[in-house]
Amino acid sequence: MEGHPMYMPLQCKSDANIGGKECMLPSALNLSSLVDAALQASSAPIIVPYGKCAVVDYTDGSMATLLNSLNVVGQLHFPPTANFTLNTTVVQGRLDMTVPAEDNSITVTLYGVDNQCFYLHDKCGGTYLDTCAD
């Protein structure tokens, strides 16, 4: 719903000004570490925390299939070296992608038949919460 006044970045995300040095390794989170932790926890969603940047550090064409969502509350950066396939139920959040290097590709496949519910940020008091109820 582009242009809808209720769907826009939260002010706290704008204030965080994530990017630059936060998205450079080694200070950034590795997406592979977040994926590994989620896979070990079976059905846990991957969450890139508020105020943090995760970098897609897969360069070999790896594939990961998640049983839950990828929820980017901070920022997820795809450098040109990224070469990765992700199968998941939902992806949402702030993604920063550059053109992949030659012979590299990024593929995100969404699967599933269950309904997914997202709350408008005004229902969460205008801030991000891990959970938010009506």
Side-chain angles (χ1 to χ4, degrees):
M1 278 193 145
E2 189 174 325
H4 190 284
M6 297 302 288
Y7 293 94
M8 62 189 121
L10 299 178
Q11 184 60 44
C12 59
K13 283 191 177 184
S14 299
D15 294 344
N17 195 22
I18 303 167
K21 66 180 181 184
E22 293 87 359
C23 287
M24 304 300 289
L25 293 174
S27 62
L29 302 170
N30 291 324
L31 181 63
S32 62
S33 297
L34 298 173
V35 168
D36 290 346
L39 292 175
Q40 289 177 7
S42 292
S43 63
I46 293 177
I47 299 174
V48 177
Y50 168 77
K52 300 289 184 182
C53 183
V55 173
V56 178
D57 58 323
Y58 294 96
T59 60
D60 61 357
S62 295
M63 178 179 5
T65 299
L66 306 178
L67 299 177
N68 210 316
S69 61
L70 173 58
N71 185 6
V72 181
V73 183
Q75 179 174 321
L76 181 61
H77 176 67
F78 294 80
T81 55
N83 190 14
F84 181 57
T85 298
L86 176 66
N87 301 313
T88 185
T89 57
V90 174
V91 175
Q92 76 87 29
R94 183 176 176 184
L95 310 177
D96 172 41
M97 182 179 285
T98 56
V99 176
E102 188 173 338
D103 296 328
N104 286 1
S105 67
I106 300 294
T107 304
V108 177
T109 303
L110 303 177
Y111 71 90
V113 295
D114 294 335
N115 289 330
Q116 302 291 328
C117 182
F118 289 93
Y119 292 97
L120 297 173
H121 66 272
D122 69 334
K123 293 212 182 261
C124 297
T127 60
Y128 171 75
L129 303 172
D130 287 331
T131 59
C132 176
D134 287 327

